[in-house]
């Protein structure tokens, strides 16, 4: 097997060490046997991960080090060595030192298997990241990460390309569904929890895509422009929280440029921010096809080139070895790169507890329950006029309309695509566009129709596909209740052109609502959509992409077996004119762009273009506040079936700013309250989420809840550092960003 592996490596361009350099190297290095005699300090668990990594680097040959700084893209390797399976990445290890081969898989929403390249290798599909964000629940984010990590490890993967934490700046971004919404504290906190969950399996997680990969259109050519303070207080704050609280082994830099430099050769991001300011000890890996240079990238802080076959050259292969040989890149920098990779590998537990070399059994039933719990907690009840929901189990005749609700639920497309347990009832290839080479429109096998029939066995439940609005209206008229399943598909590598529901679904909803006063709209969307029919429909439930148990979760929420407790992690606009940008920029520059994804082409820019983030740090609800504009549904919003009441709150300032309040569940059903604390700084800048809680309340239970304001959102980035100004801070207890319950001003000192 080893010789096959070496053959493959040579054929894909692994570096052969220049002879002079090899000799110099041999002279500098203590031989491996001597190191072993000295007790193999890298195996000493009493030393820090960084110290152990440094000892390993000392023991490695130059060739071993040069091999560990660039990874292969298995989909482009033919023939593949026996231990390499189709997946995102592969970096051969150093067995004599116990340095593991890195086996990388995408895993934002479960272990990915795009295009079924590992034939019928199924995994548990979580709901979209945005759905996880809608739970506002770090414990569920952790559980999802732990579950995906356990499956990955059992499948022999040991580096998960998870932890997507790019903020939603544009509602139409094709990848919003993978991320965690528009607020840095919410997104950063949940990403950190998910990363810790993944790494609890002694494998590495990334956080990605560092930074400002906020639209997919032209993602490999665009230049994102924003001023430093705004960046620090928004996208970078989300990353800072994810990195400091989640301690991921690796950070993946993004495709795009930030303020003129490619993210993967951006010294400001990779060295100033990540290393100097945040003291991040792990490694920076590139996005797949995101490297553009050897010396500049290495000296800016990139530690490892990923998916090397997707770059124009294998920059960290032969050119890197040559640059070390001629002194352009100091050996010390190479050592630092490898040390950082190994620090992540050791700190995650992977070095001491290597992932198995053969596939292990997986308890898919238990894992499906995790997916269902997340889905149930994520659904957001947007409207419920006249308490149309929850549905009575004794309802006689219910018609389900559209959205393929007879067979399954929609998932988002891209590198995160999981081939879910239970199979794929619908899979539609794309015929054009940047995503076509690696994406199919995919449904998970979790039929809402079957689940609703199971939960309400006495009812007569039928399905019509909704293609003919008149026929759907007739079926709705003939029923006691109509549920329209409206879908909006989104994918990596492309943006939605707008946020209207596609395929004439608005007309379908209008037709059904005109025929049936008890019409419920269930949305399966990648993010916000416009709802021109909102005044004519009594009930709307946002179900996101609900994962492989989405149908079952939907049935339980619709019938009230669990309360609807999800909250919006992003603002829903009333009209597109409220958004900071009218739609994806740079569409015209895509004509020649065969490269916007990891599956095709090269990453050479054809025509760069700028995207100016004029909203700065006022992302999402802060933008609406700054514009004094009222969205359709604000960030943090969501109705309950239960009734909650809040007693008089006690706000505190000084060293422990926050709020304590007693919350009572006045209903006969259990629920979860999600009280939120917002702060307005003395400078009057738009409000910020400063904390929240998620409290389970039994029927008629009262609980005292304390929410501490996170100091990281009380400060502003001024003159090159965080400063909390002395002054009066307005704290607001609220049910969402636009519905305050109680406020008080508290005094805080300078910090
Ligand atoms: C995506 C990353 C992903 C990588 C490997 C890229 O196109 O942007 O999120 O991890 O491919 O599949």
């Amino acid at each position: 097997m080893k010789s096959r592996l070496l053959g493959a490596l040579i054929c894909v361009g692994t570096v052969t060490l220049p002879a002079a350099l090899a000799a110099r190297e041999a002279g500098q290095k203590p031989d491996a046997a001597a190191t072993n005699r000295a007790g193999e300090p890298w195996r000493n668990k009493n030393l820090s991960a960084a110290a152990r990594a440094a000892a390993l680097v000392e023991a490695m040959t130059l060739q071993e080090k040069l091999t560990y700084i660039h990874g292969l893209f298995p989909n482009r390797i033919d023939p593949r060595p026996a231990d390499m399976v189709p997946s995102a990445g592969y970096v051969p290890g150093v067995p004599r030192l116990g340095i593991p081969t890195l086996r990388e898989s995408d895993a934002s929403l479960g272990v990915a298997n795009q295009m079924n390249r590992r034939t019928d290798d199924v995994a548990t599909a979580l709901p979209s990241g945005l759905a996880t964000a809608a739970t506002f629940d770090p414990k569920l984010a952790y559980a999802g990460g732990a579950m995906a990590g356990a499956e990955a490890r059992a499948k022999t993967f040991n580096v998960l390309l998870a932890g997507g934490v790019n903020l939603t700046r544009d509602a139409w971004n094709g990848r919003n569904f993978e991320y965690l919404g528009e607020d840095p504290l919410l997104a950063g906190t949940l990403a950190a929890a998910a990363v810790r969950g993944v790494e609890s399996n002694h494998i590495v997680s990334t956080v990605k895509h560092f930074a400002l990969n906020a639209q997919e259109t032209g993602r490999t050519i665009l230049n994102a422009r924003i001023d430093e303070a705004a960046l620090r207080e928004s996208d970078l704050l989300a990353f800072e929280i994810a990195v400091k609280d989640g301690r991921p082994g690796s950070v993946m830099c993004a495709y795009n440029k930030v303020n003129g430099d490619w993210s993967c050769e951006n010294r400001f991001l990779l060295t100033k921010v990540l290393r100097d300011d945040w003291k991040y000890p792990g490694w920076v890996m590139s996005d797949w096809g995101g490297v553009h240079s050897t010396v500049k990238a290495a000296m800016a802080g990139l530690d490892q080139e990923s998916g090397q076959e997707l770059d124009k050259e294998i920059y960290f292969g032969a050119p890197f070895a040559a640059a070390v040989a001629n002194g352009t890149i100091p050996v010390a920098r190479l050592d630092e790169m490898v040390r950082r990779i190994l620090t992540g590998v050791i700190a995650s537990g992977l070095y001491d507890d290597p992932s198995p070399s053969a596939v292990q059994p997986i308890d898919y039933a238990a894992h499906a329950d995790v997916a269902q719990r997340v889905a149930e907690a994520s659904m957001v009840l947007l409207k419920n006029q006249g308490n149309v929901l929850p549905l009575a189990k004794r309802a006689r005749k219910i018609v389900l309309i559209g959205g393929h609700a007879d067979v399954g639920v929609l998932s988002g497309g891209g590198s995160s695509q999981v081939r879910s347990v239970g199979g794929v009832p619908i899979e539609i290839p794309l015929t054009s566009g940047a995503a076509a080479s690696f994406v199919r429109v995919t449904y998970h096998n979790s039929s809402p129709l079957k689940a609703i029939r199971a939960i309400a066995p006495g009812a007569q439940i039928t399905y019509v596909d909704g293609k003919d609005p008149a026929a759907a209206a007739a079926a709705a008229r003939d029923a006691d209740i109509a549920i329209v399943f409206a879908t909006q598909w989104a994918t990596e590598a492309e943006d939605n052109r707008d946020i209207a529901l596609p395929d004439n679904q608005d007309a379908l909803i209008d037709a059904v609502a005109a025929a049936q006063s008890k019409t419920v709209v269930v949305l399966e969307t990648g993010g916000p959509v416009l709802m021109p029919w909102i005044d004519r429909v009594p009930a709307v439930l946002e179900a996101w992409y609900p994962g492989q148990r989405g149908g079952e979760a939907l049935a339980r929420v619709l019938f009230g077996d669990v309360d609807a407790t999800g909250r919006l992690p992003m603002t829903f606009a009333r009209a597109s004119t409220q958004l900071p940008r009218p739609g994806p920029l740079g569409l015209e520059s895509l004509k020649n762009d065969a490269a916007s994804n990891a599956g095709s082409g090269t990453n050479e820019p054809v025509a760069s273009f700028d995207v100016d983030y004029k909203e700065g740090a006022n992302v999402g609800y802060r933008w609406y506040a700054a514009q004094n504009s009222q969205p359709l549904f604000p960030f943090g919003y969501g109705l309950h079936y239960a009734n909650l009441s809040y007693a008089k709150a006690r706000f505190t300032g000084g060293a422990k700013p926050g709020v304590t309040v007693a919350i009572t569940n006045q209903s006969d059903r259990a629920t979860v309250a999600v009280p939120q604390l917002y702060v307005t700084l003395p400078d009057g800048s738009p409000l910020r989420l400063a904390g929240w809680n998620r409290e389970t309340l039994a029927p008629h239970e009262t609980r005292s809840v304390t929410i501490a304001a996170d100091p990281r959102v009380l400060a502003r980035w001024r003159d090159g550092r965080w400063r909390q100004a002395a002054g009066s801070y307005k704290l607001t207890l609220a049910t969402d960003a636009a519905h305050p319950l109680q406020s008080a001003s508290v005094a805080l000192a300078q910090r």
Side-chain angles (χ1 to χ4, degrees), residues 88 106 161 175 208-209 219 252 255 287-288 415 492 598:
D106 281 294
L161 314 174
R175 239 176 151 177
K208 66 186 188 183
H209 309 85
R219 64 179 174 164
M252 186 193 295
Y255 281 127
D287 201 343
W288 271 236
S415 54
E492 176 182 340

Side-chain angles (χ1 to χ4, degrees), residues 61-78:
T61 65
L62 179 59
Q63 181 64 67
E64 286 166 348
K65 290 186 265 186
L66 286 169
T67 301
Y68 219 45
I69 60 167
H70 56 108
L72 291 80
F73 184 49
N75 295 337
R76 290 279 179 91
I77 309 299
D78 187 22

Side-chain angles (χ1 to χ4, degrees), residues 268-589:
F268 167 74
L269 287 177
L270 306 187
T271 296
K272 172 80 180 87
V273 172
L274 200 55
R275 310 289 189 202
D276 298 348
D277 295 343
W278 299 352
K279 312 289 180 229
Y280 174 65
W283 88 95
V284 177
M285 68 166 73
S286 71
D287 201 343
W288 271 236
V291 185
H292 298 265
S293 63
T294 301
V295 177
K296 185 174 179 193
M299 299 315 286
L302 178 65
D303 300 310
Q304 192 177 55
E305 177 182 18
S306 311
Q308 59 188 26
E309 288 74 23
L310 296 169
D311 286 323
K312 192 181 165 216
E313 282 186 66
I314 301 179
Y315 293 104
F316 280 20
F320 195 102
V324 173
N326 69 26
T328 322
I329 297 177
V331 174
R333 172 61 190 136
L334 171 63
D335 285 355
E336 181 183 58
M337 293 159 71
V338 180
R339 194 171 67 239
R340 286 185 159 141
I341 301 172
L342 290 170
T343 299
V345 165
I346 294 169
S348 66
L350 171 59
Y351 184 81
D352 296 320
D353 183 15
S355 46
S357 53
V359 173
Q360 307 293 306
I362 292 173
D363 186 349
Y364 283 123
H367 289 182
D369 289 345
V370 177
Q372 184 163 340
R373 270 198 289 138
V374 176
E376 287 176 3
S378 76
M379 294 185 185
V380 185
L381 184 58
L382 296 173
K383 184 171 180 188
N384 195 19
Q385 198 176 304
N387 294 334
V388 169
L389 295 176
L391 300 175
K393 288 191 180 152
R394 48 180 199 287
R396 281 172 300 131
K397 215 169 173 189
I398 304 175
V399 60
L400 273 47
I401 299 168
H404 300 290
D406 53 337
V407 293
V409 290
L410 184 58
S411 83
S415 54
S416 64
Q417 182 71 62
V418 175
R419 188 135 198 113
S420 52
V421 179
V424 172
I426 299 176
E427 197 175 21
I428 307 165
L430 305 183
T431 49
S432 62
S437 68
F438 71 120
V439 170
R440 296 172 185 155
V441 180
T442 303
Y443 281 68
H444 297 307
N445 186 1
S446 176
S447 154
L449 177 62
K450 274 194 206 148
I452 289 173
R453 280 186 175 150
I455 217 167
Q460 183 196 330
I461 300 167
T462 53
Y463 173 77
V464 296
D465 67 17
K467 284 189 190 124
D468 174 357
R477 197 172 296 116
D478 188 42
D480 302 319
I481 291 160
I483 309 178
V484 184
F485 288 78
T487 58
Q488 173 222 38
W489 186 67
T491 182
E492 176 182 340
E494 294 175 19
D495 291 314
N496 290 320
R497 296 294 158 102
D498 54 43
I499 57 167
L501 278 173
D503 305 330
N504 219 21
Q505 292 177 98
D506 287 333
L508 171 68
I509 293 169
D510 264 329
V512 171
Q516 171 54 261
S517 62
K518 288 192 174 162
T519 291
V520 177
V521 173
V522 170
L523 294 166
E524 290 173 33
T525 66
V529 288
L530 297 174
M531 303 181 209
W533 33 261
I534 190 70
D535 294 334
R536 299 183 286 282
V537 167
V540 183
L541 183 70
E542 174 58 81
W544 315 109
Y545 300 145
Q548 75 170 51
R549 279 282 186 89
E552 291 79 0
L554 259 167
R556 276 169 53 81
V557 174
L558 287 170
F559 284 87
D561 283 8
V562 286
D563 200 356
T565 59
R567 313 284 100 180
L568 290 182
M570 53 172 41
T571 311
F572 276 46
R574 189 174 290 280
S576 330
T577 48
Q578 294 179 301
L579 304 173
R581 278 162 293 283
L585 303 183
L587 283 167
E588 64 292 344
S589 62

